[in-house]
Amino acid sequence: MALTPVPVALKALLGSVPAATEAERLPLARCAWRVLAEDVAALRTQPPFANSAMDGYAVLAADMEAGKVLRVIGESAAGRGFVGTVGAGEAVRIFTGAPMPQGADTILMQEDADGVGSAAVTVRVPAAKGKFLRPAGLDFREGDALLKAGRVLDSAALGLAAAMGHPSLPVRRRPRVAILATGDELVTPGAPAGPDQIVASNSFALMALVEKAGGEALDLGIARDDHDDLSAKIAAAREADADVLITLGGASVGEHDLVQEALTRAGMTLGFWKIAMRPGKPMMTGRLGRMVVVGLPGNPVSSIVCGHLFVLPLIEALLGMEDCARDRSIPAILGRDMPANDEREDYVRSDLEITAAGWRSTPSDRQDSSMLGTLARARCLTIRPAFAKPAKEGDACRVLVLR
């Protein structure tokens, strides 16, 4: 079977998504980092009235002459505007955000007036007409569609939604992602380990990736190398109504690699298997009913790298976000020489630092796919294209930032 290039595999995986998750309406206070399911328009105009951008005096531009004395006839504060009209030779003491009194068309900043706080002020530096005046609707007007479907509700978006008058928002349900580790050699952290066993780590790494991307991780535990146990765990994912099932390990071709066979028995339609990448070659995908299946390698680094390249975009697609297949890499320069590459695209654990010439990526010496310590220290993955020629320190490259 020919190896599938990474871009082709990603496009095929995203194309297997049946639909975005359904919308649910949540109170604004529970919408942080959720994804909008619909366009949202303003329910009010902001600001709803003309107001002052500075502390000073609301005046008429016609009175702006150096040395002219203006009679102060009242005060306008935020939440308590002046009731009345400003006429020639008059001024109203005004504070930032306070409503502009009727008749006034200019703000005289208090630093440009003498006698601040008294019954009369003198114009020391005249203000131009309309100076420091915020008109109604300066930010937006009722009916303006300011937040689009697919937008992640970060702090700025949530603040805008509140200012638009929305007490709740329609957001996408968080995709449910079931994660199943496999293998007789695995034990959970803290459990006694036999002489031939290791601690399962991949599940926790993938759960973190899923939660960061906006999904809901469901830990199915560890399935033994046994058809009955695998079948029961796969059935548990379907019973949980998972949108995605991620299996960890067992997708290769060894005698004890039973995952693909168990999934096929359960009715999975295989999408693709074996990717032209390192680490991560044994990855597979498929569909089991409406559930997308992603079989990740058992090697810890391989599963995490594949998680960044495939699982994160998959969750974005389920959340209805656009351009999920975009290039997420950034340009950098190499911090050391690199040899020629073969037919697989390499993702090399590297340090990343900013220099006068831009980002500099220095690959680590040790790249075995079982070594989580190297990955935890890495700040990026240096991408080496398939069939790349030898590269020298200082050559251009592209990197995928991890943290």
Side-chain angles (χ1 to χ4, degrees), residues 46-99:
Q46 179 73 4
F49 46 77
N51 67 85
S52 177
M54 301 290 290
D55 291 344
Y57 292 88
V59 298
L60 278 66
D63 285 333
M64 289 296 92
E65 300 175 11
K68 186 163 185 175
V69 178
L70 305 175
R71 181 168 63 93
V72 179
I73 61 172
E75 178 183 283
S76 182
R80 191 180 69 256
F82 174 77
V83 179
T85 301
V86 180
E90 296 177 337
V92 167
R93 181 77 165 114
I94 196 168
F95 299 93
T96 303

Side-chain angles (χ1 to χ4, degrees), residues 313-396:
L314 173 60
I315 293 174
E316 288 185 0
L318 285 163
L319 288 169
M321 299 172 67
E322 295 181 356
D323 198 21
C324 303
R326 66 188 179 277
D327 182 2
R328 297 163 195 259
S329 66
I330 63 171
I333 57 173
L334 281 173
R336 64 188 306 170
D337 295 351
M338 297 196 74
N341 198 15
D342 58 17
E343 75 276 10
R344 287 195 279 168
E345 190 169 67
D346 274 349
Y347 292 84
V348 184
R349 285 155 281 173
S350 308
D351 191 18
L352 186 66
E353 59 181 339
I354 191 65
T355 70
W359 290 108
R360 181 183 179 90
S361 172
T362 304
S364 302
D365 291 329
R366 305 173 73 181
Q367 294 290 329
D368 189 278
S369 60
S370 67
M371 297 176 62
L372 274 174
T374 306
L375 180 61
R377 289 188 294 271
R379 295 189 60 201
C380 73
L381 300 172
T382 300
I383 303 171
R384 291 283 288 149
F387 303 109
K389 296 178 179 179
K392 297 291 186 181
E393 179 180 348
D395 284 353

Side-chain angles (χ1 to χ4, degrees), residues 45-47 133-141:
T45 294
Q46 179 73 4
L133 173 60
R134 297 174 179 146
L138 175 65
D139 196 357
F140 54 83
R141 293 191 173 276

Side-chain angles (χ1 to χ4, degrees), residues 130-174:
K131 190 70 172 178
F132 302 125
L133 173 60
R134 297 174 179 146
L138 175 65
D139 196 357
F140 54 83
R141 293 191 173 276
E142 181 179 349
D144 288 349
L146 303 175
L147 293 172
K148 300 295 185 181
R151 169 70 187 263
V152 176
L153 292 167
D154 56 14
S155 57
L158 277 179
L160 176 58
M164 290 161 66
H166 289 277
S168 62
L169 292 171
V171 297
R172 291 288 176 192
R173 173 180 59 79
R174 295 173 66 193

